[in-house]
Amino acid sequence: MFGLWRLSKARCFALFVTPLCRVQTPEKLVALTFDDGPRREGVSIALDALARNDAHATFFLIGDEMARHPGEARRLVDAGHEIANHSFYHRRMVDVSPAAARREIDRTDALLKAEGGGDTLLFRPPYGSKLTGLPLALRGAGHRMVMWDVEDPPERLDARQYADRILEQVRPGSIILMHIMYDSRATAREALPLVLAGLARRGYRVVTVGQLLAARS
């Protein structure tokens, strides 16, 4: 059981599909990704910080949240950002059947398309959890599982420590995970401008996952 739990949480390994954790590129590019939502305040905070730094990001959105907050995903698309699939219910998809996982994927894809996101093929598992059913559903749907190699630190840190913890992990081709959509993520929200400024000082350009994939060596 412990081995199965470790397998379900592995960042860069999954059964039946190959997760994307980082992209090999000689360019100083990183993909900044945000999970959850969309909620109006979180979207506004992200849009303001990204615009100030001429940065673009990928937002992995929850279908149920999009249904309850219509128009918020469209704001991200209209600003030039990428929206992608983070399931419909945001439950741990470890023991789901391929059919149940496919229903969540398709239902959320339909909402993403309705909000202007086009035919997205990017999916991030809630909590990074997966085992057999979800990877099989993703393979059947032709979707790419997107994980990360730089994870946001605990909220107990202050904003400067939080930003520094992220920046010290970054390398060319990194995929950075942050959570800013909810009020409980006050530190992450405060740290976002610091993260963006620190990346700029280090010579990195912040792009979407799709743009990072296009730059693969």
Side-chain angles (χ1 to χ4, degrees):
M1 290 298 295
F2 179 72
L4 287 175
W5 178 82
R6 290 289 300 272
L7 177 62
S8 74
K9 297 291 291 182
R11 270 193 207 170
C12 300
F13 177 81
L15 298 171
F16 310 119
V17 297
T18 302
L20 179 70
C21 295
R22 176 176 167 265
V23 168
Q24 294 289 337
T25 175
E27 300 181 64
K28 295 194 80 171
L29 300 174
V30 295
L32 181 57
T33 68
F34 299 96
D35 279 9
D36 305 338
R39 294 284 182 89
R40 184 163 188 81
E41 186 178 8
V43 168
S44 295
I45 288 168
L47 289 177
D48 180 66
L50 292 165
R52 289 174 182 270
N53 289 271
D54 193 26
H56 292 88
T58 299
F59 292 79
F60 287 92
L61 304 178
I62 301 168
D64 184 53
E65 290 273 30
M66 281 193 287
R68 289 190 288 123
H69 303 280
E72 294 305 315
R74 173 73 67 170
R75 293 172 65 200
L76 297 169
V77 173
D78 288 347
H81 302 293
E82 183 175 53
I83 57 175
N85 197 319
H86 196 37
S87 82
F88 193 86
Y89 294 111
H90 200 263
R91 57 185 173 181
R92 294 183 188 276
M93 302 180 78
V94 176
D95 57 351
V96 296
S97 69
R102 182 63 184 266
R103 285 194 294 272
E104 284 208 40
I105 293 165
D106 290 348
R107 193 174 177 187
T108 305
D109 277 352
L111 286 167
L112 291 165
K113 189 171 185 177
E115 293 277 7
D119 295 316
T120 181
L121 294 177
L122 304 179
F123 182 94
R124 175 168 285 162
Y127 310 100
S129 297
K130 69 279 182 202
L131 200 53
T132 57
L134 175 59
L136 284 170
L138 291 174
R139 189 173 71 177
H143 281 42
R144 180 184 291 271
M145 182 187 293
V146 181
M147 299 292 280
W148 59 88
D149 71 325
V150 178
E151 186 170 5
D152 45 1
E155 280 281 317
R156 65 175 179 269
L157 302 177
D158 64 34
R160 180 73 268 169
Q161 292 171 321
Y162 184 107
D164 287 344
R165 186 75 65 85
I166 287 178
L167 293 168
E168 68 190 16
Q169 300 177 64
V170 169
R171 52 184 172 155
S174 280
I175 299 175
I176 303 168
L177 167 63
M178 292 186 70
H179 295 80
I180 65 165
M181 280 294 160
Y182 304 128
D183 292 342
S184 60
R185 298 291 185 160
T187 301
R189 291 176 172 187
E190 186 180 352
L192 177 57
L194 302 177
V195 170
L196 290 166
L199 290 169
R201 284 196 304 272
R202 289 162 172 78
Y204 285 100
R205 185 160 63 93
V206 179
V207 299
T208 67
V209 172
Q211 290 169 328
L212 187 63
L213 283 167
R216 281 180 296 187
S217 57

